[in-house]
Amino acid sequence: MHEAYKAVYEGKTGELVEKKSRFIATVFSIESEEDALEKVAAMKKTYWDARHNCYAYVVGDNNEIQRFSDDGEPSQTAGKPMLDVLLAQKIHNVLVVVTRYFGGVLLGTGGLVRAYSKATKLGLDNSILLDKVYGTRMTVKIDYTVAQKIKYIISQLDIYSIDTKYTDVVEEEVVVVDKLLEEFNQKINEATNGNAKIDIIGSGYFGICENKVID
């Protein structure tokens, strides 16, 4: 069974101030560890005058790669808490860099952990996230006389609709998650007396945002 997870569709920033220190979290979607490290290097150039540019990232469908850096902060007070937030929210293929401009007041280890965790959460909250679900993309061609029945089945089973084309037949293009595939096929065959033409386009992870499929 393929588990659903979250990914970044559009990374944003989040910012907070704690005891005059400014924390700026920047969120990125990444494709590889090399991609993550390139973005970290770019952020360090952008915020060259900051005291710290701490980061955490995860890569892979199963978070095979997990890395973090405290970048000069006391050990386990910055990067690790940031990584914990990513893992807790089940977000994959994501990098967060938290830039700190020191305000002259020490926060202590507990204060640092809270600040870096909160900044990371703010950055993620401001970003647009996708639900990544594993499913099968297919087209279903049916006669106009049963088109409304098929649309009803799609809506009732929470099938993800991509497009509808009207020619000599009605063609519904959808993504069906694993657990609904057998039931969907059964209902389509029953509604059309086995006359529906179903073509499989492919299977894999698909991004879902606001109940729409994002390629």
Side-chain angles (χ1 to χ4, degrees):
M1 191 70 178
H2 299 87
E3 290 190 5
Y5 63 87
K6 292 186 180 296
V8 176
Y9 180 56
E10 186 176 345
K12 300 287 187 177
T13 62
E15 184 174 336
L16 71 123
V17 176
E18 292 286 346
K19 295 182 178 179
K20 299 182 180 180
S21 278
R22 182 184 176 201
F23 295 84
I24 307 167
T26 308
V27 179
F28 300 93
S29 172
I30 55 174
E31 298 180 355
S32 65
E33 186 164 23
E34 292 74 19
D35 185 20
L37 294 176
E38 287 177 3
K39 287 181 168 62
V40 169
M43 290 297 292
K44 288 186 175 182
K45 288 183 179 179
T46 299
Y47 293 107
W48 59 270
D49 57 338
R51 178 71 67 90
H52 307 281
N53 282 286
C54 306
Y55 63 82
Y57 61 84
V58 291
V59 179
D61 290 342
N62 297 302
N63 288 340
E64 293 88 348
I65 299 174
Q66 303 177 17
R67 302 283 187 269
F68 64 86
S69 170
D70 295 311
D71 194 34
E73 293 282 29
S75 179
Q76 307 285 303
T77 63
K80 181 59 165 59
M82 294 167 60
L83 178 63
D84 289 343
V85 172
L86 300 183
L87 296 177
Q89 296 197 21
K90 297 183 179 180
I91 303 176
H92 295 219
N93 299 318
V94 59
L95 160 71
V96 179
V97 180
V98 176
T99 301
R100 181 190 183 190
Y101 284 93
F102 183 55
V105 180
L106 296 176
L107 299 182
T109 56
L112 288 172
V113 169
R114 287 189 293 273
Y116 279 101
S117 298
K118 185 176 180 181
T120 301
K121 290 175 183 176
L122 286 173
L124 293 172
D125 287 345
N126 291 338
S127 298
I128 300 174
L129 302 180
L130 292 174
D131 289 312
K132 299 286 279 190
V133 300
Y134 193 91
T136 299
R137 187 168 185 166
M138 63 176 69
T139 59
V140 181
K141 296 179 181 178
I142 63 308
D143 188 80
Y144 277 81
T145 58
V146 294
Q148 289 306 312
K149 285 184 180 180
I150 303 308
K151 283 188 175 296
Y152 178 77
I153 291 170
I154 290 172
S155 65
Q156 287 299 300
L157 290 182
D158 289 329
I159 304 299
Y160 299 108
S161 179
I162 297 176
D163 190 22
T164 304
K165 295 179 181 177
Y166 299 95
T167 55
D168 55 324
V169 295
V170 179
E171 179 180 317
E172 296 284 354
E173 185 175 349
V174 296
V175 168
V176 185
V177 296
D178 279 1
K179 66 179 181 180
L180 295 176
L181 189 56
E182 184 177 347
E183 182 180 3
F184 180 67
N185 285 333
Q186 180 181 339
K187 287 185 177 296
I188 292 297
N189 285 325
E190 289 174 353
T192 64
N193 292 319
N195 291 320
K197 186 176 186 303
I198 299 176
D199 292 316
I200 304 299
I201 298 173
S203 297
Y205 277 99
F206 295 89
I208 308 296
C209 185
E210 295 182 350
N211 216 40
K212 294 181 180 179
V213 177
I214 307 296
D215 290 329

